[in-house]
Amino acid sequence: MPNYNMEAASNKGRDNSSESARDAGTFWDIGNYKKTVKRVDDGAKLCDDMLAMIRDRMELERNYARSLKRWASDWRSSIQNGPEYGTMEESWQACFTEADEVANLHADIREKLLSKAYDSVKKWKKDHYHKSMMHYKESRDCDDNFSRIQKPWAKRFDKVTKARKDYHSCAKAEDNANKQLNNAENDNNMTADQVKKVRDKAEKLTKEASKAKDRYHERLEDLTACNDNYQKSMTEEFDRWQAFEEDRLIFFKEMLVVIHNCVNIADNPNFSKIYNEMLQTIEKADSGRDLCGFAEQYGARMETRWPEFEEYVASEKSGVKKSTSKFKKIQESNDNISAPENTATVEKINTNHDDYDANQNVNRQTSFDNEWDEPPSFNDANGVPVRALYDYSSREADELSFVAGDVIMKLSEEDGQGWIKGSLNGKSGLVPANYVEPV
């Protein structure tokens, strides 16, 4: 296990990024180990960056102050926008600060950088990163190992997710059935047999919801039982790649010190202060702090968030426009009897009150106000007889309740939302057009 300080961490953008990283999930969630895999790839890329930096520096040494300042500016921006982080990033910046202040360097600096720094980084990268066709072997191994460890837990997690959805679906159906039973028991137009059918259905859905709830508990208990082993295995694998990254950070620190020694003109008193400050900054690099910060933001020190049982909570009936309300009633009726789906254009609107976005539906909402005017009436005051194909129980005061076979007098043409005006037993009201047919 890498020897890093778990009490203090310094990471680039830590204050701003830690909260967003937790919002996106924790290290323990499925697939969230990818940050660690990417860090392995980034290590190889940072080796290339260091090689390029040294190579550029050797070239710039011949151009003295003006070219050297341009190099420092370019690389300062590159590292600031790159993947390096924490105190190691500050050590990179020390090199660029030094380059800004140096205006006149000796010609042999280039040869020292070539032999002592460039070749060392190139060899170190060759020994630690092995390129395959598409990826580095190390990053592929990291990905494969995490995936293998997470696979059994992920299967159980998927079962928990499915069980939770099934339970919530059954609980919702049970809730709707109980509401229908309550309406049926208070509806004088329904026969005893009809009420019994509704009651039998409600009891059946209650049993199904209970079974789904038990399955949900069982799946959750099965997942919880393997959480400890899963966490232990993931932590061990994460520590392995922490150690791999620690080697890179330590080596980079050593190479930055080597670079410092190559470019430092110690005998020149004008440059003594510059290089002393540069070395002090590099020496402040602390791999433990950097590794700890990474672990807290993306790795094994992130808080655990195991799935917990979530009780079903029925949505409260919210005040929405009549168009939406009527569509929901037809939709619920279609769910409970063998009637065709309503073909009215109101089906195009979003019936999920929780997901309804007022900002995105301003024009649509305005059209509803106009579309729900009274349907156009007939010239024939007596109406046209139509026969009911299915049972329908009114949900609002302006609707008619009827059963299959009832003859209703049609008093208006179908409106734009799929409703007609009709009369039955001396009472007038709205009737879903696709529930009747001409006599």
Side-chain angles (χ1 to χ4, degrees):
M1 182 174 179
N3 180 22
Y4 52 83
N5 182 3
M6 302 302 287
E7 305 229 343
S10 174
N11 242 333
K12 177 169 64 176
R14 176 181 173 187
D15 292 339
N16 295 330
S17 64
S18 59
E19 183 176 351
S20 60
R22 288 184 172 85
D23 291 342
T26 72
F27 169 73
W28 314 103
D29 293 338
I30 297 174
N32 277 9
Y33 60 82
K34 295 291 185 180
K35 282 281 188 180
T36 305
V37 177
K38 182 179 182 297
R39 186 178 64 171
V40 177
D41 272 332
D42 288 341
K45 294 176 183 177
L46 286 167
C47 286
D48 292 335
D49 286 344
M50 182 169 280
L51 288 170
M53 181 192 72
I54 298 171
R55 186 171 57 249
D56 287 351
R57 177 62 184 268
M58 290 187 299
E59 188 69 21
L60 288 169
E61 289 293 347
R62 293 190 294 232
N63 297 322
Y64 294 101
R66 186 179 62 179
S67 297
L68 190 57
K69 287 183 179 292
R70 185 183 305 115
W71 170 86
S73 176
D74 292 343
W75 276 103
R76 179 177 290 109
S77 175
S78 176
I79 296 303
Q80 286 175 346
N81 297 325
E84 192 58 278
Y85 54 93
T87 58
M88 184 54 63
E89 181 192 9
E90 296 172 2
S91 298
W92 285 74
Q93 297 298 338
C95 297
F96 311 139
T97 301
E98 170 271 334
D100 282 332
E101 297 174 351
V102 173
N104 188 15
L105 300 174
H106 292 285
D108 62 346
I109 291 179
R110 181 183 182 279
E111 297 302 323
K112 291 180 180 179
L113 288 172
L114 175 62
S115 60
K116 295 182 179 181
Y118 186 88
D119 290 345
S120 297
V121 175
K122 187 174 181 180
K123 182 179 183 302
W124 190 91
K125 182 194 173 188
K126 182 179 179 181
D127 293 339
H128 289 77
Y129 297 95
H130 303 86
K131 187 73 172 178
S132 60
M133 292 293 294
M134 298 292 294
H135 308 282
Y136 286 100
K137 179 180 180 298
E138 288 69 25
S139 62
R140 187 176 66 251
D141 289 345
C142 181
D143 196 353
D144 291 345
N145 291 344
F146 276 120
S147 178
R148 173 180 52 79
I149 294 171
Q150 195 172 79
K151 186 175 180 180
W153 189 88
K155 288 182 177 179
R156 289 177 171 85
F157 179 81
D158 290 341
K159 290 179 180 179
V160 168
T161 301
K162 183 179 183 302
R164 175 177 56 81
K165 291 180 179 179
D166 290 344
Y167 165 61
H168 287 185
S169 177
C170 290
K172 182 177 181 180
E174 177 191 15
D175 184 64
N176 291 334
N178 288 332
K179 292 179 181 178
Q180 292 177 5
L181 176 60
N182 184 59
N183 292 336
E185 290 175 344
N186 296 326
D187 189 349
N188 296 329
N189 294 324
M190 295 191 69
T191 65
D193 289 340
Q194 291 173 331
V195 174
K196 183 178 182 300
K197 289 181 180 180
V198 176
R199 182 180 295 105
D200 291 343
K201 180 178 180 180
E203 291 175 353
K204 178 181 178 182
L205 291 174
T206 298
K207 293 179 181 178
E208 292 178 356
S210 178
K211 292 180 180 179
K213 185 176 182 179
D214 291 340
R215 283 195 300 270
Y216 184 16
H217 277 297
E218 291 173 2
R219 299 301 188 190
L220 197 57
E221 290 173 358
D222 182 47
L223 179 68
T224 302
C226 70
N227 282 345
D228 290 342
N229 288 336
Y230 169 68
Q231 184 178 11
K232 179 181 177 182
S233 299
M234 290 290 283
T235 300
E236 290 175 351
E237 186 65 22
F238 180 77
D239 286 344
R240 174 189 172 192
W241 296 105
Q242 285 283 78
F244 184 85
E245 173 69 0
E246 185 180 34
D247 289 343
R248 183 191 72 82
L249 293 172
I250 293 174
F251 174 75
F252 270 37
K253 178 178 178 178
E254 293 173 353
M255 286 299 98
L256 291 173
V257 173
V258 169
I259 294 171
H260 158 264
N261 294 333
C262 290
V263 300
N264 183 17
I265 310 174
D267 295 336
N268 189 333
N270 295 328
F271 293 98
S272 299
K273 182 179 179 180
I274 296 174
Y275 290 101
N276 287 336
E277 292 177 353
M278 178 182 176
L279 181 57
Q280 289 174 5
T281 304
I282 295 174
E283 291 291 355
K284 291 179 181 179
D286 187 340
S287 61
R289 293 172 65 192
D290 292 349
L291 293 171
C292 180
F294 186 93
E296 289 181 352
Q297 293 191 53
Y298 308 111
R301 284 190 55 80
M302 295 182 74
E303 63 178 321
T304 59
R305 295 182 182 176
W306 307 124
E308 297 178 355
F309 178 78
E310 301 172 20
E311 183 56 74
Y312 168 76
V313 179
S315 301
E316 295 183 2
K317 184 175 180 181
S318 58
V320 295
K321 288 198 171 289
K322 187 173 182 180
S323 58
T324 304
S325 174
K326 289 190 178 298
F327 168 67
K328 288 190 68 178
K329 288 180 289 186
I330 291 181
Q331 187 181 53
E332 292 174 11
S333 297
N334 289 341
D335 292 338
N336 297 327
I337 62 175
S338 300
E341 293 188 1
N342 194 345
T343 57
T345 58
V346 70
E347 290 184 358
K348 298 179 180 179
I349 67 174
N350 181 1
T351 63
N352 189 334
H353 298 171
D354 295 333
D355 295 339
Y356 184 77
D357 188 341
N359 293 329
Q360 297 178 353
N361 292 274
V362 172
N363 295 333
R364 184 183 298 174
Q365 181 177 350
T366 302
S367 66
F368 291 165
D369 294 337
N370 297 330
E371 290 171 350
W372 280 109
D373 293 339
E374 286 293 320
S377 59
F378 285 156
N379 292 328
D380 188 350
N382 295 325
V384 176
V386 293
R387 179 178 290 106
L389 297 173
Y390 316 100
D391 296 349
Y392 183 75
S393 178
S394 64
R395 301 297 179 87
E396 294 187 8
D398 60 350
E399 299 174 5
L400 282 180
S401 295
F402 52 85
V403 296
D406 283 350
V407 176
I408 303 170
M409 297 305 295
K410 177 180 176 182
L411 303 178
S412 72
E413 294 291 353
E414 180 180 347
D415 65 8
Q417 304 299 325
W419 296 85
I420 62 172
K421 189 172 183 180
S423 175
L424 177 64
N425 298 327
K427 182 179 179 182
S428 298
L430 296 177
V431 177
N434 62 338
Y435 274 53
V436 299
E437 65 177 359
V439 175

